[in-house]
Each structure stands twice: as C-alpha cells, then as structure tokens.
Amino acid sequence: MKKNLLPIEAIAAKLDLPEDLYERRSPVSAKLSLELLNDARFDRGGKLILVTATTPTVSGEGKTVTSIGLVQGLETIGKRAILTSREPSLGPVFGMKGGAAGGGHSQVEPAEKINLHFHGDFHAITSAHNLLAALIDSHLFHGNALDLDPDAITWPRTLDMNDRALRNIIVSVTAADKKQRDGSNRPSGFLITAASEIMAILALASGREDLRARLARIVIGQNRKGEPVRAADLKATGPMMALLSEALLPNLVQTTEGTPAMIHCGPFANIAHGTSSVVSQRMGVRLADYVVNETGFASDLGFEKYMDLVSPLSGIKPAIAVLVTTVQSVKQQAKGDLGDLKDEFANLEKHIAIVRSFGLPAVVAINRFPDDTEAELDKLRAFCEARGAAFALSEAFALGGEGAAALARKVVEVIESNPNVVLTSAYANGDSAVEKITKVAQKIYGADAIELSERAKESLARFARWGFGELPICIAKTQYSLSDDPKLLGAPTGWTLHVTDVTLSAGAGFLVVIAGAMMLMPGLPKASLALGIDVDESGEITGMQ
C-alpha cells in the first residue's frame, strides 16, 4: 500500500496543539510535552473506550487493527478521536506473532519504525533496568556496604528480544584461584523488556515526580537481616531518571487515514499489566472526545488488569468496552465447529460476562476475515442477539475507517445510552493477596480454587512482613486459555489455578503472581518471522508482518 502520510504538524493541528507542546522527531512523528497534562486549554472530558478480545489464536484476532479502525471510524462519522496504544516489542516482531502496528488499511504509521526502535523508548527502559542490575553487582564487588544477601537478589537483567538461552544465567563468574567476593557465581536471568518492572513503572507513572518516587521504591532483594533493599539505597534513582526522561513523553503519530494516535509504553498483558501509558491516556481524554485504548490479549488478561489495577491506581474510568472476536477464535475454542450456539460459543459468552461483571457496557466487534462465510458470521450475530449483546461487523483491515464506521456508530450509541456507568472490581483493596488471587481465579477465569506452591507461600509471607501484603495483583498466565493450561479451551470449569511463584514490583505497586508454566522470557519459534525480514536496495524494510 502506498503511504501518503500527513506531516506531523497537520496531525497536531487536528488536536489544536500549539508548537510549544510537541517536539518534532521526524517529519511524521513527535514527542508530546508533559505540560499538556496541566494546560487549561485542553480539557475536553473525552470518553475512554477499552478494546479487549476473546481468547486469541496464535496469530491474534486483529484487536490492534480493530482499535485503529475504530478510531478511524469515529473520525469518519465526524467525531474528534485519538488512539492510545502500546509500543511493539522486538520479541514478537521477530518471533511468531509479528508486529503490533495494525495492518491493511488500519495501521499506525510509520509502521516499520514503530515496530523497530521507535524513538528509542524501549532502549531507554532496557538501559535503565540494566543500569540498576550493574549497580547491584558493582556494589557487591566493592565491599557490599549494604550487606546485600547475594542469594536473595531478585533484580534480573532484561533484553527486548525472545531469547530462551538467557532465562537462567550465572553472573560475576570468578575462577577458583581468584579471590571470591560477595555475589560471585550467583544465579540470575533475563526477562523480556516488556516484562520489566521499569516498563510497568513508566507506563503507570503520572509524571516526572511520580516516576522518580516509583523508581526509588523498587525492591531489588534483601540484606542478610531479611530487610528489603531498594533502588534508592543504591543511589540509582537519579541516573535511571536521566535515562527515562525522554521516554516518559508520549509519541504522537497517525493512522493510515491521518487520524491522531499516541503510541507509548508496551507492557505485555500475559506477564505484565498490558496497556499504554497512563500519561498518554490522560492526555487523550483532554485532547479528544473519544479515546480508543487497547488492552492486551483477552478480557481475562489486559482488561481485568486495567479494571482491577490501572483504573484504580490512575483514576481513569473507561466508559465502554469493545470485545473483539472472530470466526477463527470461536472455531478454535469450539474445536473447529460452529454448530451449537449454547456449547460452541462458551468462550465468547464468558468474555461478555467478564466485561459486564465490571459494570461496563459492551459492544462485540466481529472482526471479519477474508475466509469467513456469511453463514458463520450470521451465527455470531445470532449468538450476540440471543445474549442481548450489542454488536457490529468490523472490516477495518480491508476498508479502513469506512469499514469500522458501523462499529463506531454502535459504540457512540451505547456510550450515550449509558451515561452513568458505575465500575466494580473483582476484589477489594483490603483483601489479602490470597483472597485477591482466589477472587480473580474464580470470578474471572472460572476456576474452582487456587493452589500455591511452597515458594509462592514463602514469598507472600515475606512481602506481608515488609508491608506489601495488600498490594493489587497482576497475574501472569497463558493467553491461550481462560485457565493456566493453554490446552484447556472454551470456558473450562472444575479446575485449579496453580500459583508457582509471586514476585514483588514495589515501584509499580503490585504483586506479580505467576500461574502455571508462564515464562517471563519467551523463546523464538522454530520458523521465526525474523527469517523473512530484510532491507531492499532503497533502504526500505521488507517482509515485516
């Protein structure tokens, strides 16, 4: 597709942005000033639209395409709208899933640059994370004045790439005939940058001072007395702030149709909280009447975390949820058949129930794929009608904004019909961690019970002693099932959520609950998408999906 992108000044003009509130980074992209958050000229009170989905297939269900198409569709029907979406990680770009800039006639542009090294944000996050890791090992080497327990250091290293070989490593390797120091030959590992606590902190920070406070609160391990040691104790806050200062600023770009879009931060929803930055969303509701914000994977992951974690921490209250589904998703969850509306649509029905359980009205977006038959689409429509769920067909990939105009009208109609939304949560702030995990497992996932490993129990007891026992939770689990087993399809019941470990993200402000065999550093597939990516003679990147 030939791309005729508007200059970034034209995108800024759509939002009435003066030149002093954005900094041009290329002819078609810019960084936005934090002054926007307090500028009295911008306070439109926009409605936030959360986009989520049913349980995805390996290739995804086009949730990003639908989000981009929806914001284009809103502009098509005459509304001032803006997209807030996450920055892609290189792991999926070169792995199995591919890029996260949309596709067809509904992309964010410049798509190739957004998918690769965009404005250096991921580099800054990776560098800040690894700076703290280096300071820890340097502190151990130079005498360990804080009396850090080398066996209890929990801060890993990070890399924005799927690399299973780095999951488990040995650091500070010392030969047998050399002087042994604290920290010599200690086990550690890497996680992917999207799972870094620095990524979560940047995404949740409300501004520079909040970012500074969150970085200072990071717990990197404990001393030999069993007391927590923080990044502030290592005097790491200032240099991390320096690395992250520019990365805190949201990125302004456009869609294929010239609709404004902010792309900022990229926490994964299966191992982190999975949505764009709080700063970008707060700017969005000040700049536009409708803000389309994607949450990662299905409603049991990014959406639940938004409602239980992001919304309470940020104060941002969504007005509606758009639930993306496809014929292929329903088929996979029904093991290949679209026969019985009661049994074969159990997964879609469960996701509709999850959205409604938080008090949000929902619109089901049926994302049309080329191979879908009218008979299959009619069955999806019939199911939505039978369950009293608002729905609309989306053809954003093929037709852009025009293909999502019907969805946009339906979303506006449902928002206007529900002006007094009262949000609820899966758990209460005062619940213990075990109570929080149990309530999410039972109310959202459909589990009967939870089972904690001895390691998880020990971790929770330690965090409670340190005063973190009532933090919100962020459950890391497979995206391919409502359960912790990717092979359990549909809406399984009668199962137990197995909690293998719990880690502390004190700076981000939550406990990470690891369920099942979840890995925080993914690996590349046998046939990586990287093998088809190249650069042609003119310097254009080719083969990116």
Side-chain angles (χ1 to χ4, degrees):
M1 182 191 304
K2 187 177 180 181
K3 300 174 182 178
N4 297 308
L5 302 183
L6 297 174
I8 197 61
E9 292 80 5
I11 303 303
K14 285 190 173 188
L15 300 169
D16 298 327
L17 276 176
E19 289 183 1
D20 62 324
L21 289 181
Y22 66 95
E23 182 180 322
R24 191 174 184 266
R25 290 301 173 88
S26 79
V28 291
S29 64
K31 282 279 189 183
L32 295 175
S33 170
L34 294 181
E35 296 300 318
L36 255 172
L37 295 170
N38 302 306
D39 195 313
R41 293 172 294 178
F42 300 96
D43 193 8
R44 299 185 71 91
K47 302 293 186 182
L48 188 79
I49 301 163
L50 282 188
V51 181
T52 183
T54 51
T55 301
T57 59
V58 172
S59 58
E61 303 318 299
K63 181 156 49 64
T64 303
V65 168
T66 304
S67 300
I68 297 166
L70 175 56
V71 78
Q72 293 176 154
L74 286 164
E75 192 171 66
T76 297
I77 66 172
K79 307 297 182 182
R80 179 179 286 200
I82 191 168
L83 175 77
T84 55
S85 191
R86 292 171 296 160
E87 295 179 54
S89 162
L90 295 181
V93 169
F94 290 116
M96 182 183 296
K97 193 174 181 182
H105 290 266
S106 293
Q107 292 189 81
V108 282
E109 300 288 358
E112 289 80 9
K113 291 184 178 180
I114 289 171
N115 276 319
L116 302 174
H117 309 302
F118 185 47
H119 288 179
D121 291 352
F122 269 62
H123 167 74
I125 293 164
T126 302
S127 298
H129 181 112
N130 289 336
L131 171 64
L132 180 53
L135 289 172
I136 293 166
D137 284 308
S138 178
H139 185 87
L140 290 168
F141 182 85
H142 290 293
N144 194 9
L146 293 172
D147 199 27
L148 287 169
D149 182 351
D151 295 326
I153 292 170
T154 54
W155 192 254
R157 281 168 167 77
T158 192
L159 181 73
D160 186 34
M161 186 59 63
N162 291 357
D163 194 344
R164 63 174 55 84
L166 293 177
R167 286 172 184 162
N168 298 290
I169 63 170
I170 301 295
V171 298
S172 299
V173 176
T174 305
D177 59 345
K178 298 266 182 91
K179 180 181 178 182
Q180 294 285 325
R181 298 176 184 268
D182 267 350
S184 295
N185 305 311
R186 69 178 179 87
S188 187
F190 276 73
L191 43 71
I192 194 164
T193 298
S196 165
E197 185 180 352
I198 303 289
M199 175 67 80
I201 286 171
L202 195 73
L204 291 170
S206 60
R208 282 205 173 88
E209 288 312 303
D210 186 39
L211 175 61
R212 181 184 298 277
R214 289 175 180 274
L215 292 172
R217 292 199 300 265
I218 292 171
V219 173
I220 60 94
Q222 65 184 44
N223 60 25
R224 288 188 169 97
K225 294 179 181 178
E227 301 164 333
V229 178
R230 295 171 173 82
D233 298 325
L234 291 159
K235 298 180 172 54
T237 311
M240 286 194 290
M241 281 292 297
L243 285 167
L244 295 169
S245 184
E246 291 292 308
L248 181 61
L249 309 180
N251 306 293
L252 180 66
V253 290
Q254 63 190 288
T255 73
T256 43
E257 296 182 356
T259 308
M262 279 187 279
I263 310 297
H264 197 216
C265 295
F268 285 165
N270 57 348
I271 48 182
H273 69 273
T275 193
S276 62
S277 72
V278 164
V279 169
S280 68
Q281 293 168 45
R282 284 183 169 167
M283 286 183 180
V285 295
R286 295 176 68 86
L287 290 168
D289 297 317
Y290 295 94
V291 180
V292 178
N293 182 62
E294 180 186 350
T295 59
F297 292 119
S299 71
D300 56 313
L301 289 169
F303 175 79
E304 179 275 322
K305 290 164 185 168
Y306 194 98
M307 300 304 297
D308 281 331
L309 180 65
V310 180
S311 182
L313 286 177
S314 67
I316 301 170
K317 298 184 184 300
I320 193 173
V322 172
L323 180 68
V324 180
T325 194
T326 62
V327 167
Q328 68 176 2
S329 170
V330 174
K331 275 185 174 181
Q332 175 171 301
Q333 292 300 315
K335 299 181 181 178
D337 185 20
L338 278 186
D340 190 303
L341 290 184
K342 179 180 179 182
D343 296 328
E344 310 303 65
F345 285 76
N347 185 263
L348 173 56
E349 183 167 33
K350 177 61 174 174
H351 286 290
I352 293 172
I354 290 171
V355 171
R356 288 173 171 172
S357 73
F358 286 96
L360 272 184
V363 172
V364 176
I366 303 171
N367 184 28
R368 184 170 195 166
F369 275 59
D371 293 336
D372 296 345
T373 68
E374 282 301 323
E376 290 169 333
L377 293 171
D378 283 343
K379 286 184 178 180
L380 269 174
R381 294 186 186 101
F383 177 82
C384 291
E385 286 179 348
R387 294 301 182 271
F391 66 92
L393 192 69
S394 176
E395 298 183 87
F397 185 93
L399 302 174
E402 285 294 336
L407 175 61
R409 292 189 187 95
K410 180 59 69 174
V411 167
V412 171
E413 174 191 321
V414 173
I415 289 176
E416 291 177 348
S417 300
N418 294 272
N420 301 309
V421 171
V422 178
L423 303 180
T424 60
S425 299
Y427 52 77
N429 287 335
D431 289 343
S432 69
V434 171
E435 288 172 326
K436 290 184 174 80
I437 299 167
T438 301
K439 288 181 178 180
V440 172
Q442 292 178 339
K443 293 180 180 180
I444 307 302
Y445 306 158
D448 276 0
I450 69 168
E451 181 178 279
L452 274 66
S453 70
E454 287 304 314
R455 180 170 178 167
K457 291 175 184 177
E458 291 170 3
S459 297
L460 285 175
R462 181 169 63 255
F463 301 149
R465 286 198 309 271
W466 292 349
F468 300 114
E470 294 186 357
L471 286 181
I473 59 168
C474 178
I475 299 181
K477 77 168 188 71
T478 180
Q479 66 269 33
Y480 297 123
S481 171
L482 284 160
S483 74
D484 58 4
D485 179 355
K487 296 180 181 179
L488 282 180
L489 303 180
T493 57
W495 60 278
T496 297
L497 181 78
H498 298 94
V499 176
T500 53
D501 199 4
V502 181
T503 63
L504 173 63
S505 292
F510 53 74
L511 298 173
V512 179
V513 179
I514 301 172
M518 199 63 209
M519 294 288 185
L520 302 188
M521 169 56 89
L524 290 172
K526 185 174 182 179
S528 302
L529 292 177
L531 305 179
I533 297 174
D534 207 336
V535 178
D536 65 19
E537 292 180 358
S538 65
E540 293 295 315
I541 295 169
T542 62
M544 189 169 292
Q545 297 185 20

